[in-house]
Amino acid sequence: HIKGEKMGSGLEIKPTTRGKADVWLDERERRLVVDHAPMLLYHQTSPESAEKVMKTGFMRGKDGMVGGGAYFAVSAKQTEGKALHKGVMLECLVLVGKRKSGEKATQAGNKYTFTELKKEGHDSVHVTKMLTGDEYIVYNWDQVLVVTIVGSDAE
């Protein structure tokens, strides 16, 4: 079972036993931790929001291009054209698992949720062919571990 008190405190992986009602967790954990390698991704935000992330964990947004998730870029530089709030760069290890991929033209306007993706057997959304570069979106706090906090002019 994937555990993490806070996004910034690290993820701990421990084997557990479960009943039939929790079978989807085993499948999800396999996708997140075994079948797909974690990705080093970037998220830029305000100093105030970064401080909250480190105190209370990384929470998904209320809305966005494809719903209320946590949005990440493949490089620190690419966040410059994506971030709504700027000032602090968060370098994160993200468990993207099985991605639902599509071009911006086909994904924009779809409002995904953690529950919907889980039912489809997906763990994240990967939006391609964006002018500012690809974007990865996760919808659950346990998929993100903040590795490094750096200034907004990081490379």
Side-chain angles (χ1 to χ4, degrees), residues 61-80:
K62 292 182 178 155
D63 197 18
M65 178 178 49
V66 290
Y71 288 68
F72 297 90
V74 297
S75 74
K77 186 174 182 158
Q78 286 182 354
T79 68
E80 291 295 331

Side-chain angles (χ1 to χ4, degrees), residues 14 69 73 90:
K14 292 183 176 180
L90 303 176

Side-chain angles (χ1 to χ4, degrees), residues 41-102:
L41 299 172
Y42 299 85
H43 179 90
Q44 187 170 174
T45 191
S46 69
E48 298 80 19
S49 292
E51 189 175 321
K52 285 180 187 176
V53 166
M54 297 315 295
K55 286 183 180 177
T56 62
F58 209 112
M59 300 297 172
R60 62 181 168 251
K62 292 182 178 155
D63 197 18
M65 178 178 49
V66 290
Y71 288 68
F72 297 90
V74 297
S75 74
K77 186 174 182 158
Q78 286 182 354
T79 68
E80 291 295 331
K82 298 175 180 295
L84 298 176
H85 307 284
K86 297 183 180 184
V88 176
M89 184 70 57
L90 303 176
E91 184 179 58
C92 303
L93 191 60
V94 182
L95 301 174
V96 294
K98 185 176 179 188
R99 299 170 287 210
K100 182 175 188 116
S101 293

